Amino acid sequence: MSIEVKHLSKTFGSFKALEDVSLRVNDGELVALLGPSGSGKTTLLRIIAGLETPDPNPESEILFHEAHVTASPVGKRGVGFVFQHYALFRHMSVYDNIAFGLRVRPRANRPSRESIRDRVNHLLKLIQLEGFGNRYPSQLSGGQRQRVALARAIAVEPQVLLLDEPFGALDAKVRKGLRDWLRRLHDEIHLTSVLVTHDQEEALEVADRVVVMNKAKIEQVGTPEEVFHQPASQFVMEFLGQVNIFRCRVKAGTASLGTLTFEYPNYQESSEKDAIVYMRPHDLEIKRRQRNEPGLMAKVSRLNPAGAFARVFLHADGVDEIQVELPQDQYRELALSPGDVVYVYPKNARVFVPDFVI
Amino acid sequence: MSGDAKVARNDSQLPGSQQPASDLQADVKIRQPATRFRGATEEPVWIRYSLIFLTVSFLVFFLFLPLLSVFAEAFRKGVNAYLAAFNDRAALAAIKLTLITAAIAVPLNIVFGLAASWSIAKFEFWGKSFLLTLIDLPFAVSPVISGLIFVLLFGAQGLLGPWLTSQGIQIIFAVPGIVIATIFVTFPFVAREIIPLMHEQGTEEEQAAITLGANGWQTFWYVTLPNVRWALLYGVILCNARAMGEFGAVSVVSGHLRGKTNTLPLHVEILHNEFNFVAAFAVASLLALLGVVTLAAKIYVESRVRSTSTSEDLSSLDH
C-alpha cells in the first residue's frame, strides 16, 4: 500500500508546522521522517494518520494506494499508529491491549473469540513476550511496553504502520535493540511504514529512504547513503553527522580556503562571493610532512582517542577548530601530541554558496 | 545514626543467614550512639509533642466529643426511645425524601461531572477557563444564597413563577425545588475530582483507541471511564454525603412542611426547636453515621486511587 500526500500545509495559530509538503512512500517501504523538533515531521505523520487535518486547500490530497482518504476518519483509514509514550491502555492487561482493536469491530466483521486468541498469541510470540499476556503495562519495562504498542497496532492488520518517535523515550541500548528488531520485523511483514525520529543514526540505519525535514518543509528525500554523502542543502549537511564548517570565497569555478582550493563549477562569474565549505571529520587526512599538493597547516590542540575512531582537534590560522576522525591504526602511527604542527588534506569537501540559485 | 544499624540488619537478613531475630535486635541496640543528634529536618521534642497535643485536643473537642454527645443524647432515654424517634411518619418521610433527593441529584451530577470534565480535560475550546471557574461557583457562594436564587427564579413572585403557576407546576416549597437546590450545591464534587486526573492522563490513550477503530462511545466506555473510575467513585461518595446532609440551600426552598418537604437535616432542626432532644439526636445520629461510613469509604477509595497512580509512576522510571 503506497502513501502519497500532495500540497499539505498546517498552521497552529501563527506557527507554520507544514508548508506545501508533498511526499510519496512506495508500497512496502520503510521511510523515516527526520528533522529537529518543530520541523513538522510529527504533524505530517499525524495528518497521514488522520489525527490532524491539513489546512483547507483544494490541492491538498492524501492518497492510500491511489485512493483518496483525505476525508475519511482515523478509524477508517486502516493505519496502525505507535505513540512515543506507548499510550497503552493502563487498566487493561497486555492481552486485552492487543485484542482491543479486534474486539471493538462491529459485530459483523469481528473475529470469533478463538481467532482473536490465536492472533493475540501469535503477536505475543512475534514481540517475544509470550507468557506476558496477563501482565499490566505498569509491570513492563519501557522496551516491552513499546513492543506491546507495536503488536496492538499491527493486530488490526493495518495497511500502513505509522510510528511517532517510537524509541524516543528509551535508553540508548534498548533503543538500538528495538531498532534492529523493527527492521527485521519490517523485512518479515513488509508493511508500508513511516517512522518519525530526530535521531539521525536511527533514521540512517533503519529506513529504506530518509526524508529530511526542516522548518515545515522537506529538505531532501533519498536513501540513507544519498542524504549522507550527497546532501542537497546546507541544512542536511549540517544536520547529518559531524561536519567542519569553513567560510571561504568562491570565484570563477573555484573556492579557496587559505592554501586549499576546491572546484565549484556551478559558479563561473569573475566577481568574488562568500561561500561555505563543509568537510566531514572522517574525510580529512593528517600528514606530518607537506606533500606536493597544497595542504592546510594546523596545530594539534586536543586529542581524544576513545571510541572506534580517534578524534583530533586542530587549530589553523583564519579558521575555527578543525575536527578530524582517524582510524585507530593511523592515529597510533602518527603519534601526535598537542602542539605538533601537521598538514591537513581533505579527501572530500562540499561547497555551498548561500542564496545562490543554479 | 540509625542508618548503619539498618544496614547491619539487612546484611544479616540475606538468604541463608541463620541469625535469630533476637540477635538482630541486640545488634541494633549496640550500634545506637549514646548521644542522639538531631537531624536537620527534625524539630525539637517539645515542639513535636506540643503540636501533636494541640492536634489531638482539637480533634477531641471539636470532633470526638460532639460525635459522642450526639449518640449519648440520642440514647439518653434508652434504646426504645431512640427507636421510637424513627417510628414516626414525619421522620420516615424525611428519610425517604433525603434518599429520593440523593438518588436524583447524585446520578445527574455523575453525568454532568463526566461531561464537564471530559470536555474540559480533553478538548480545547474558547471560554474553557471560564467554564472551569463556573464549576466552582457553588463552593464559593453561601448555600443560603444558592437557595434564594431558585426562590427568585421559580418562586411565586419569581421570574418564571407566574408561568409555572399557570401550568400548575410547583417547584419552590415542594420536592422539585429541594432536588434542584441539592443538584446545584453538589455539582462540583464529581467534576472537581475527575478533571485533574483526566488532564494528567492526556488524550493519547483515546487517540490510540480511535486509530484502532473504536468509535466515540467505545473509546469513552472502554478507555476513558475505566481510567477515572476510582476518582469518579470518590467524587460520588463526597457528592452523596453532601446531597444527604445539605441544609442551607434546601432550607430556603423547602418551606418546612412536616412530612412533605423536610429532609433529614431539616427534620433534625425542627425536632430540636421543639425541645424534642432525644428524637433530634436520634435522627442526627443517622446523619453522623452516614458521615462515618462516608469517611471509611473515602479512605478505602483514596488508597485505591493512590496505589494505582503510584505503581504507574514508579514503573515509568525504569526501562
Side-chain angles (χ1 to χ4, degrees), chain B residues 137-150 181-182 184-185 242 246-253:
Chain B
L137 193 69
F139 281 169
V141 178
S142 160
V144 178
I145 308 294
S146 313
L148 220 53
I149 292 167
F150 293 110
T182 305
F184 178 80
V185 173
R242 184 66 187 268
E246 174 57 27
F247 179 83
V250 170
S251 172
V252 177
V253 296

Side-chain angles (χ1 to χ4, degrees), chain A residues 88-153:
Chain A
L88 292 177
F89 306 126
R90 68 192 85 196
H91 64 278
M92 286 185 208
S93 67
V94 166
Y95 183 97
D96 292 337
N97 261 283
I98 298 174
F100 183 86
L102 300 171
R103 285 178 178 162
V104 296
R105 281 188 185 167
R107 203 172 294 267
N109 47 18
R110 190 187 306 160
S112 70
R113 194 179 287 266
E114 289 73 33
S115 58
I116 289 180
R117 195 187 56 217
D118 291 346
R119 178 133 186 83
V120 174
N121 284 334
H122 169 74
L123 285 163
L124 281 171
K125 205 165 162 184
L126 190 73
I127 59 169
Q128 295 147 18
L129 283 178
E130 275 174 298
F132 281 69
N134 290 326
R135 299 253 191 127
Y136 281 84
S138 59
Q139 297 167 308
L140 301 179
S141 73
Q144 290 171 335
R145 286 185 213 183
Q146 196 55 291
R147 277 184 278 159
V148 174
L150 242 149
R152 182 180 68 177

Side-chain angles (χ1 to χ4, degrees), chain B residues 92-115:
Chain B
L92 289 176
I95 292 172
K96 194 175 150 199
L97 180 58
T98 300
L99 291 176
I100 288 172
T101 307
I104 299 171
V106 173
L108 277 176
N109 276 330
I110 291 175
V111 173
F112 168 79
L114 279 173

